[in-house]
């Protein structure tokens, strides 16, 4: 990922453990328009594997993930 | 022209091999499958992996059911039932298994929740990957009909892996599912499942040794029971049950306990939980964070109603578990409940920590 996507919505799930980051992301997606971008900030390292899997399973577009120290920032476009 | 409606089923997917095989057996029959995975707060998943320093070269932890769903090509509904689940754990009608696992109540609850979702989403029936007699409590032959009856789904819960050993269900009677193509697995052996996995080309599945939830874990159950004993009631918050998974737990006196971070990641996790509550006077009431000043060592959380002497003892424990353990004196910072101070203490000698303090 070269350019960070501009999010339409930002979700802070730091300190939450798997699978809550994904469950909260799913909830945050409801009400968002198709193609709108959700940015997810987490501390659970599992997000790096779970976010792409969740997108594949539920038809969202995985835009990328950035790991900075203990925090992860992921971007998903609603499918 | 009349079109035949495709039969659809909603399964409970743990992410383990059995539930994956159950999905495949139905997919083989042309049934459209989606699954649900419930979050109870006690799911083992990858919590420990997320809280501890990673093993060198290890991949990040992952959510088994999510990856199983991806492998199987099915949609997965991940549902948080943790708040409602409190009453299942604290007051199970059918009691506990060998630890604090209320398996029978839990199964009944999950099946009824899955049924409600099936009704909402318009599936034809529900299924699980249960194997007769595999688990002592919830998969005993006499308990299977009981689970269905209490969950209000009698005849509508298919168990593809052991179906031929139990009474035919409605989906079988109505010809939606061919009973002949289902299995009759029973017992604790894994061979037939592994052979079927190989036949389906399923190779990436978690080992059954990982277990289903923390409530079946003897150490975890002991810590939960201790929490109930000393609070005088069977109750817990979401934060309590997460904290029981992290750190070393010691109870030096009935009125307080300490949680000691075991590595940098765990210290950071505990600090995050404490820090996250800083502005929340109710939630951080009765909790202090301690750490040695200018010396590497653990973050230690104190919970309960410690006296001033107890806080000094907790400071000495903090010094004991850190790199200043052999120093004559260590400065320890205390933060919480509106207090911020530094105490200089003598590290507690190892032989002054009685074994019974450890939970
Ligand atoms: S092991 Fe845990 S999740 Fe599984 S049935 Fe028992 S209580 Fe429920």
């Amino acid at each position: 990922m070269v350019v960070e996507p501009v999010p339409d919505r930002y979700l802070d799930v730091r300190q939450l453990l798997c699978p809550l980051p994904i469950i909260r992301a799913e909830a945050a997606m409801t009400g968002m328009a198709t193609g709108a971008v959700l940015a997810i900030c987490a501390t659970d390292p599992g997000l790096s594997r779970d976010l792409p899997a969740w997108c594949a399973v539920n038809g969202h577009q995985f835009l990328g993930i950035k790991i900075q120290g203990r925090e992860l920032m992921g971007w998903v476009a609603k499918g | 022209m009349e079109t035949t409606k495709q039969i659809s089923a909603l399964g409970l997917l743990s992410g383990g091999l059995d539930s994956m095989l159950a999905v495949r057996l139905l997919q083989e029959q042309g049934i459209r499958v989606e699954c649900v995975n419930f979050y109870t707060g006690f799911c083992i998943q990858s919590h420990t992996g997320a809280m501890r320093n990673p093993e060198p070269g290890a991949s990040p932890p992952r959510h088994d059911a999510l990856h199983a769903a991806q492998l199987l090509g099915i949609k997965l509904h991940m549902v948080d039932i943790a708040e409602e689940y409190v009453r299942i754990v604290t007051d199970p009608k059918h009691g506990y298994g060998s630890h604090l696992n209320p398996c029978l109540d839990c199964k009944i609850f999950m099946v009824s929740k899955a049924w409600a979702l099936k009704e909402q989403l318009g599936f034809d029936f529900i299924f699980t990957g249960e194997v007769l007699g595999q688990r002592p409590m919830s998969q005993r032959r006499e308990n299977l009909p009981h689970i269905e009856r209490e969950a209000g789904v009698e005849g509508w819960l298919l168990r593809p892996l052991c179906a031929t050993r139990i009474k035919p269900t409605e989906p079988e009677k109505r010809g939606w599912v061919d009973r002949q193509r289902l299995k009759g697995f029973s017992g604790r052996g894994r061979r037939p499942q592994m052979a079927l996995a190989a036949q389906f080309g399923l190779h990436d599945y978690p080992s059954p040794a990982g277990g289903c939830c923390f409530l079946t874990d003897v150490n975890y159950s002991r810590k939960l029971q201790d929490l109930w004993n000393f609070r005088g009631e069977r109750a817990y918050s979401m934060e309590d049950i997460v904290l029981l998974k992290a750190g070393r737990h010691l109870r030096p006196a009935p009125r307080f306990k300490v949680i000691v971070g075991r590595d940098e990641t765990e210290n950071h996790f505990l600090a995050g939980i404490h820090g996250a509550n800083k502005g929340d006077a109710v939630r951080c009431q009765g909790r202090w964070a301690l750490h040695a000043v200018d010396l590497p060592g653990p973050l230690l959380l104190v919970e309960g109603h410690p006296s001033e002497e107890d806080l000094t003892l907790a400071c000495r424990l903090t010094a004991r578990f850190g790199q200043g353990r052999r120093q004559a004196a260590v400065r320890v910072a205390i933060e919480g409940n509106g207090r911020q101070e530094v105490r200089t203490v003598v590290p507690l000698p190892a032989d002054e920590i009685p074994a019974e303090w450890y939970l």
Side-chain angles (χ1 to χ4, degrees), chain A residues 15-20 22-24 26 43-54 56-58 70, chain B residues 39 46-47 50-51 59-63 66-67 69-70 74-76 78 80 242 264-265 268-269 272-273:
Chain A
Q15 306 307 327
L16 294 187
L17 294 172
C18 160
L20 288 176
I22 296 291
I23 291 177
R24 297 284 190 270
E26 181 82 57
T43 43
D44 189 319
L47 194 77
S48 63
R49 294 174 82 188
D50 292 343
L51 199 60
W54 173 61
V57 164
N58 286 347
R70 294 186 185 278
Chain B
Y39 172 71
S46 33
H47 285 190
M51 286 176 189
S59 335
R62 68 177 198 182
H63 186 271
L66 196 51
H67 289 265
Q70 188 180 11
I74 56 167
K75 190 172 163 74
L76 181 69
M78 293 166 76
D80 181 358
V242 165
E264 211 194 324
T265 308
H268 195 266
F269 181 79
I273 293 236

Side-chain angles (χ1 to χ4, degrees), chain B residues 143-220:
Chain B
N143 283 337
L144 295 188
H146 191 81
I147 292 172
E148 290 171 41
R149 215 173 310 122
E150 269 204 46
V153 305
E154 227 170 343
W156 288 99
L157 170 61
L158 183 72
R159 298 177 171 97
L161 294 189
C162 61
T164 62
R165 285 179 179 266
I166 49 185
K167 251 172 56 184
T169 57
E170 285 300 323
E172 293 160 277
K173 287 187 205 160
R174 294 177 187 218
W176 297 347
V177 178
D178 179 358
R179 185 172 168 86
Q180 306 304 315
R181 294 168 68 190
L182 300 177
K183 300 292 173 192
F185 297 164
S186 73
R188 302 177 75 92
R190 307 286 304 158
R191 281 239 180 91
Q193 283 97 315
M194 282 156 87
L196 190 60
Q199 196 185 313
F200 284 147
L202 293 174
H203 303 292
D204 182 14
Y205 50 85
S207 93
C212 181
C213 78
F214 274 106
L215 293 170
T216 57
D217 182 277
V218 57
N219 296 318
Y220 188 90

Side-chain angles (χ1 to χ4, degrees), chain B residues 160-353:
Chain B
L161 294 189
C162 61
T164 62
R165 285 179 179 266
I166 49 185
K167 251 172 56 184
T169 57
E170 285 300 323
E172 293 160 277
K173 287 187 205 160
R174 294 177 187 218
W176 297 347
V177 178
D178 179 358
R179 185 172 168 86
Q180 306 304 315
R181 294 168 68 190
L182 300 177
K183 300 292 173 192
F185 297 164
S186 73
R188 302 177 75 92
R190 307 286 304 158
R191 281 239 180 91
Q193 283 97 315
M194 282 156 87
L196 190 60
Q199 196 185 313
F200 284 147
L202 293 174
H203 303 292
D204 182 14
Y205 50 85
S207 93
C212 181
C213 78
F214 274 106
L215 293 170
T216 57
D217 182 277
V218 57
N219 296 318
Y220 188 90
S221 292
R222 198 173 46 236
K223 287 185 270 182
L224 181 58
Q225 187 64 60
D226 167 81
L227 186 94
W228 290 347
N229 291 349
F230 289 98
R231 286 204 182 148
E233 58 171 349
R234 278 171 189 269
Y236 61 82
S237 70
M238 293 307 121
E239 201 167 85
D240 287 333
I241 59 175
V242 165
L243 278 174
L244 292 181
K245 297 170 190 170
R248 220 181 246 138
H249 291 234
L250 293 90
R251 184 174 290 284
R255 60 193 169 269
F256 79 106
K257 73 182 264 192
V258 302
I259 305 170
V260 190
R262 288 165 294 185
D263 61 33
E264 211 194 324
T265 308
E266 206 164 56
N267 288 341
H268 195 266
F269 181 79
L270 293 174
I273 293 236
H274 186 69
N277 292 344
K278 263 186 188 162
D280 184 337
V282 175
R283 282 177 73 202
C284 74
Q285 208 176 15
R287 189 184 293 147
W288 294 260
L290 278 56
H291 65 89
V293 180
D294 303 328
L295 275 173
L299 185 111
L300 188 142
L301 290 183
V302 180
E303 281 194 338
H305 306 282
S307 64
E308 287 305 309
E309 292 72 40
D310 295 336
L311 278 178
T312 299
L313 177 66
C315 289
R316 297 186 68 199
L317 279 166
T318 308
R320 163 76 223 158
F321 288 112
Q323 287 196 7
R325 67 176 68 95
R326 277 181 255 286
Q327 296 194 3
V330 171
R331 294 172 69 228
V332 176
I334 305 175
E335 190 256 329
N337 292 282
R339 164 200 303 233
Q340 254 181 333
E341 64 166 278
V342 174
R343 288 189 191 179
T344 304
V345 296
V346 180
L348 200 67
D351 58 7
E352 285 185 32
I353 306 178

